[in-house]
């Protein structure tokens, strides 16, 4: 029996290879070495032979894409729409980042932060709309033990997380076109990471305290009932 070909994996893999095609087209026009990363202030970091950007980088994204597709098998917990979006994140990054790394040395005037921050902000906004609807899982969301093992903590944590993702993502997107946008983005990331984390700990403690109080009340009731039965 023939196995059914996963159409999404094939298409997303081909999309990941678009920068490779672009690099081959402009191979002779590109310098022998290309930047492989840019710093916080858009300065060139490390450089490498151009085949690293043109050949290895797209293949790296292909490997990541295939691994992600294989890993994402819990449709009932992640949600179908979010699952589809997640499967296209790697190809999107490959096209945007890979193409930028090739076109920038050819005279592209856009800076790295002006490209990357809006892209990440867009991802944050989309994910923020779906995160509150997800069930506890090991693929999306805060996967710390006290969160993933308690459905109440998970739900409340991801409600505030989804709200922060959308708000901070929108603010980061709008401000990314200004010189101070990268600083707003950094602050937004700190807020997105740490506020839901501390909030989840407070919920966990509250639940534990409520359970402890309920246990004490139950024990007191049982002791009182036992004393009354003895008196009788």
């Amino acid at each position: 029996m023939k196995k059914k070909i996963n159409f999404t994996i094939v298409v997303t893999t081909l999309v990941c290879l678009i920068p490779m095609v672009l690099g081959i087209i402009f191979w002779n026009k590109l310098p022998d070495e290309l930047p492989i990363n840019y710093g916080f202030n858009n300065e060139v970091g490390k450089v490498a032979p151009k085949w690293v950007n043109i050949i290895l980088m797209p293949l790296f994204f292909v490997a990541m894409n295939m691994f992600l597709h294989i890993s994402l098998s819990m449709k009932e917990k992640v949600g179908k729409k979010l699952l589809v979006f997640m499967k296209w994140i790697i190809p999107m990054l490959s096209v945007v980042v890979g193409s930028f790394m090739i076109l920038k040395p050819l005279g592209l005037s856009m800076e790295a932060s002006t490209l990357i921050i809006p892209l990440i902000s867009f991802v944050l906004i989309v994910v923020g709309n779906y995160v509150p609807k997800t069930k506890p899982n090991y693929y999306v969301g805060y996967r710390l033990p006290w969160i993933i093992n308690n459905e109440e903590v998970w739900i409340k944590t991801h409600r505030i997380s989804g709200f922060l993702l959308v708000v901070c993502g929108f603010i980061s997107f709008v401000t990314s076109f200004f010189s101070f946008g990268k600083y707003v983005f950094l602050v937004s990331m700190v807020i997105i990471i740490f506020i839901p984390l501390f909030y989840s700990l407070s919920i966990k403690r509250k639940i534990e305290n409520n359970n402890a109080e309920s246990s004490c009340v139950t024990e007191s009731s049982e002791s009182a009932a036992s004393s009354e039965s003895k008196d009788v």
Side-chain angles (χ1 to χ4, degrees):
M1 183 177 178
K2 294 183 178 179
K3 292 184 178 180
K4 186 178 180 181
I5 297 175
N6 191 316
F7 181 73
T8 306
I9 291 181
V10 174
V11 174
T12 52
T13 298
L14 292 175
V15 172
C16 287
L17 295 174
I18 289 176
M20 183 185 291
V21 176
L22 187 66
I24 292 172
I25 292 173
F26 291 106
W27 184 276
N28 293 328
K29 295 182 180 181
L30 290 166
D32 293 333
E33 291 187 335
L34 297 176
I36 57 175
N37 74 290
Y38 289 85
F40 185 71
N41 293 317
N42 296 309
E43 73 278 5
V44 174
K46 295 180 180 180
V47 296
K50 59 184 176 183
W51 60 266
V52 173
N53 276 12
I54 296 173
I55 306 298
L56 287 188
M57 187 177 291
L59 291 178
F60 171 73
F61 279 111
V62 167
M64 288 180 61
N65 180 59
M66 296 185 72
F67 175 78
L68 184 65
H69 276 74
I70 294 171
S71 300
L72 291 174
S73 58
M74 300 176 69
K75 295 182 180 180
E76 72 280 359
K77 291 191 175 182
V78 175
K80 186 175 181 180
K81 291 183 179 179
L82 181 58
L83 189 72
V84 171
F85 178 75
M86 289 178 65
K87 288 182 177 180
W88 280 94
I89 288 179
I90 301 299
M92 182 171 58
L93 287 174
S94 178
V95 171
V96 174
V97 176
S99 300
F100 176 83
M101 290 296 190
I102 293 169
L103 296 177
K104 182 65 175 175
L106 293 176
L108 182 68
S109 59
M110 181 179 290
E111 298 296 344
S113 61
T114 309
L115 177 71
I116 299 302
I117 293 178
L119 176 62
I120 296 176
S121 299
F122 170 73
V123 172
L124 294 177
I125 293 171
V126 174
V127 173
N129 276 283
Y130 292 107
V131 159
K133 304 170 187 176
T134 60
K135 298 178 182 179
N137 66 89
Y138 290 98
Y139 299 97
V140 181
Y142 288 83
R143 289 155 287 179
L144 296 167
W146 67 87
I147 298 177
I148 200 168
N149 293 326
N150 188 307
E151 189 169 0
E152 183 180 351
V153 177
W154 174 278
I155 292 172
K156 291 183 177 180
T157 299
H158 287 83
R159 279 178 184 170
I160 189 172
S161 175
F163 173 77
L164 291 174
L165 282 167
V166 173
V167 172
C168 291
F170 177 77
I171 294 173
S172 294
F173 184 88
V174 172
T175 58
S176 64
F177 303 101
F178 300 93
S179 58
F180 57 86
K182 52 192 173 184
Y183 302 104
V184 175
F185 175 73
L186 288 177
V187 173
S188 297
M189 293 306 295
V190 171
I191 291 172
I192 289 170
I193 293 171
F194 289 103
I195 288 183
L197 178 62
F198 291 125
Y199 180 66
S200 69
L201 286 170
S202 68
I203 298 170
K204 174 179 175 287
R205 292 194 188 98
K206 185 177 180 180
I207 293 173
E208 289 175 347
N209 291 335
N210 290 339
N211 290 339
E213 289 176 3
S214 299
S215 178
C216 289
V217 171
T218 302
E219 289 178 0
S220 299
S221 300
E222 290 176 353
S223 298
S226 178
S227 298
E228 288 177 3
S229 63
K230 288 180 180 179
D231 293 339
V232 173

